[in-house]
Amino acid sequence: EQVMQIAQVLSGYSLGEADLLRRAMGKKIREEMDKQRERFVSGAIEKGVSKPQANMIFDLLAKFADYGFNKSHAAAYAVVSYQTAYLKAHYPVEFLAASMTLDMNNTEKLSDFRADAMRLGIEVVPPSVKTSYRAFEVGENRIYYSLAAIKGVGEAAVDHIVEKRKEKQFESLEDFCSRIDPRIVGKRVFESLISAGAFDCFGYDRAQLFAGIERMMGMAARAQENAASGQADIFGMGGGPTEKLVLPTCEPWTAADRLHREFAAIGFYLSAHPLDEYRSVLEKMRVQNWTDFQAAVKRGATAGRLAGTITAKQERNTRTGNKMGIVSLSDTTGQFEAVMFSETLSQYRDMMEPGRSVVITVAAEDRPEGVNLRIQTAHDLDVEAPRVQRHMRIFVRDPGPLDTIASQLATRGEGHVSFIVLKPEGQGEIEVELPNRY
């Protein structure tokens, strides 16, 4: 309505013409927008407005039509924004815990909130059947991760665990199994809790716990049957479990497998990240993290090098019938997606498996819905890491030192050498890797 009013007053639009302008701006029809611009500018000039100013006003109207508020609506948002900022500034632990509870089913937001907490020096305590509740609870500069936010763990199971813990803290794994109802805390719940680390407090290896689920549930079922028949009191079991739980002996999960299972249960890497062990290597490779690269794209960058652990991959057909891939990745600062078109997909398809860590070069585009990434090259990080240990990068601003450097590179060997050419006035840099080994 405001767009229509301005057009009527400034450019002499009739009511019907103004409504047509509003529709064109709302639907972003390029051909119709060009026609409307010509009509708007000519009408404004007749009313004494200069052409540059009329064009500027038209652009402002088009931007406003895309997403604009009237004053009362904007004022209400401003009040809410102030209140939210006040709470985050003065009560950051409570604010983040409440935000995480509100978005409990949105793992992408939970990951962002957790990163925010780390930035503020707030500890996010991993889920535990001893300390966690249904909601994200607060402690002294810490947030206790919610049991209900673990995938596959329903609210009924969480409420049952918390209710039993109110009576008395769980002293051991046997104590836990003897007091919970396996009809409420079923096998799927056990699997998710173990994968998320919620049983780590009992001191067992996760692989051993996972292998012993049937024994744990069997103990729980026997305890329930004994309680129902009154045998617990007859044999003196009222003071606690007398049965010792013996878990199977098995190989521990590898660090990668453990983190992959944790990711499946929680939705992001909580206790650690697969890229943590590559931190020094990634610094040498001058790989950007996702948060920094996202900011760089919004400032105009169009390409970069990223590292990530693959969390999912899907393939679909394009309109032309070719295959394209959509790869979901995670790094220590967040999660992101990148596309691969047919030629790149066929070249790197076997590498793009969940759980594998890769280094990718990408073309990037800043769009209204977010940063769009297209993978150009990909390398297995396990293969690249040893190679980087034998890699020298030489930074140059001009050709002056090239003759001296060339004289030092006469002897061949096994090391890689790259030039990092620093562009003037902070315009970025270009890496040129020499084809030979030195």
Side-chain angles (χ1 to χ4, degrees):
E1 289 176 0
Q2 289 172 304
V3 170
M4 292 172 64
Q5 290 171 6
I6 291 170
Q8 288 175 278
V9 172
L10 188 66
S11 299
Y13 271 66
S14 66
L15 184 61
E17 288 176 323
D19 187 56
L20 189 63
L21 171 67
R22 179 185 62 81
R23 291 175 185 275
M25 285 185 167
K27 294 181 178 179
K28 297 292 183 292
I29 306 169
R30 173 56 56 191
E31 186 178 346
E32 185 60 34
M33 287 280 282
D34 291 341
K35 289 180 183 177
Q36 289 297 332
R37 180 185 291 275
E38 186 177 339
R39 165 71 180 88
F40 183 91
V41 171
S42 62
I45 291 173
E46 289 177 6
K47 296 213 168 203
V49 179
S50 67
K51 186 174 181 179
Q53 192 173 24
N55 273 305
M56 183 193 71
I57 294 170
F58 187 88
D59 290 335
L60 289 172
L61 286 175
K63 186 176 181 180
F64 181 82
D66 186 40
Y67 195 66
F69 291 157
N70 62 39
K71 189 177 291 185
S72 62
H73 194 73
Y77 265 77
V79 171
V80 172
S81 298
Y82 174 80
Q83 292 171 333
T84 305
Y86 180 90
L87 289 172
K88 186 173 183 180
H90 296 281
Y91 304 95
V93 180
E94 292 81 358
F95 174 81
L96 286 173
S99 298
M100 294 173 87
T101 300
L102 180 66
D103 286 309
M104 186 179 294
N105 297 318
N106 188 330
T107 54
E108 188 172 342
K109 284 192 173 183
L110 290 181
S111 178
D112 290 341
F113 289 134
R114 185 252 187 174
D116 215 7
M118 291 175 63
R119 181 181 62 81
L120 295 170
I122 300 167
E123 180 188 5
V124 177
V125 180
S128 169
V129 293
K130 283 190 174 184
T131 58
S132 297
Y133 293 81
R134 180 199 282 198
F136 287 82
E137 295 290 343
V138 302
E140 186 63 36
N141 203 41
R142 62 182 55 181
I143 297 171
Y144 294 96
Y145 203 89
S146 160
L147 289 179
I150 301 172
K151 296 178 182 180
V153 180
E155 292 185 353
V158 175
D159 289 342
H160 179 65
I161 291 170
V162 172
E163 192 64 32
K164 290 296 179 183
R165 196 176 67 211
K166 283 180 182 177
E167 301 168 5
K168 187 181 67 167
Q169 179 60 273
F170 299 120
E171 296 176 356
S172 64
L173 182 59
E174 289 87 352
D175 185 35
F176 178 88
C177 292
S178 67
R179 289 165 58 192
I180 58 98
D181 188 341
R183 293 169 298 182
I184 302 174
V185 183
K187 183 177 180 180
R188 175 71 192 280
V189 176
F190 269 97
E191 290 175 347
S192 296
L193 289 173
I194 292 167
S195 296
F199 284 136
D200 289 359
C201 54
F202 295 127
Y204 292 92
D205 179 76
R206 292 185 193 179
Q208 195 176 18
L209 287 165
F210 208 87
I213 287 177
E214 295 295 344
R215 298 184 188 184
M216 293 157 64
M217 293 193 66
M219 184 179 187
R222 288 192 295 275
Q224 289 292 313
E225 291 169 3
N226 291 339
S229 63
Q231 291 187 51
D233 292 330
I234 293 173
F235 293 104
M237 291 181 65
T242 58
E243 181 182 353
K244 178 66 178 174
L245 188 61
V246 180
L247 297 178
T249 302
C250 60
E251 286 291 321
W253 292 336
T254 64
D257 190 23
R258 180 182 177 190
L259 289 176
H260 185 63
R261 290 172 183 261
E262 184 178 295
F263 182 94
I266 294 178
F268 60 95
Y269 295 105
L270 180 61
S271 63
H273 196 284
L275 295 185
D276 288 344
E277 61 182 297
Y278 299 103
R279 191 180 303 275
S280 62
V281 171
L282 296 176
E283 288 176 359
K284 290 180 180 179
M285 295 177 71
R286 301 178 66 74
V287 170
Q288 288 179 279
N289 64 50
W290 168 237
T291 297
D292 290 345
F293 181 68
Q294 201 173 14
V297 173
K298 294 187 179 298
R299 294 193 301 268
T302 58
R305 179 188 289 152
L306 299 169
T309 301
I310 298 166
T311 57
K313 182 189 75 173
Q314 57 177 305
E315 295 185 16
R316 60 178 63 165
N317 292 323
T318 64
R319 292 179 181 177
T320 58
N322 293 323
K323 286 280 187 182
M324 69 172 289
I326 302 174
V327 183
S328 300
L329 302 105
S330 167
D331 75 0
T332 55
T333 66
Q335 300 180 46
F336 54 98
E337 281 189 348
V339 300
M340 306 173 70
F341 292 110
S342 55
E343 187 175 338
T344 312
L345 178 62
S346 61
Q347 184 176 359
Y348 300 115
R349 176 184 277 114
D350 293 341
M351 190 187 302
M352 298 295 170
E353 292 300 324
R356 182 171 288 185
S357 295
V358 294
V359 176
I360 56 176
T361 56
V362 296
E365 183 181 358
D366 187 18
R367 296 183 177 178
E369 65 273 15
V371 175
N372 180 269
L373 302 179
R374 177 166 55 86
I375 295 175
Q376 297 176 317
T377 65
H379 300 281
D380 190 322
L381 191 49
D382 283 335
V383 175
E384 286 294 294
R387 177 176 172 270
V388 171
Q389 304 304 327
R390 302 188 304 274
H391 196 149
M392 176 182 287
R393 286 180 166 81
I394 304 171
F395 293 80
V396 293
R397 295 184 184 277
D398 58 66
L402 292 186
D403 289 340
T404 304
I405 294 170
S407 68
Q408 301 296 322
L409 296 178
T411 306
R412 294 289 187 262
E414 296 300 321
H416 298 258
V417 175
S418 291
F419 284 107
I420 307 295
V421 183
L422 302 174
K423 299 168 74 175
E425 299 177 2
Q427 296 177 21
E429 58 191 41
I430 298 171
E431 181 170 356
V432 182
E433 183 172 338
L434 302 187
N436 298 313
R437 301 292 175 261
Y438 303 92

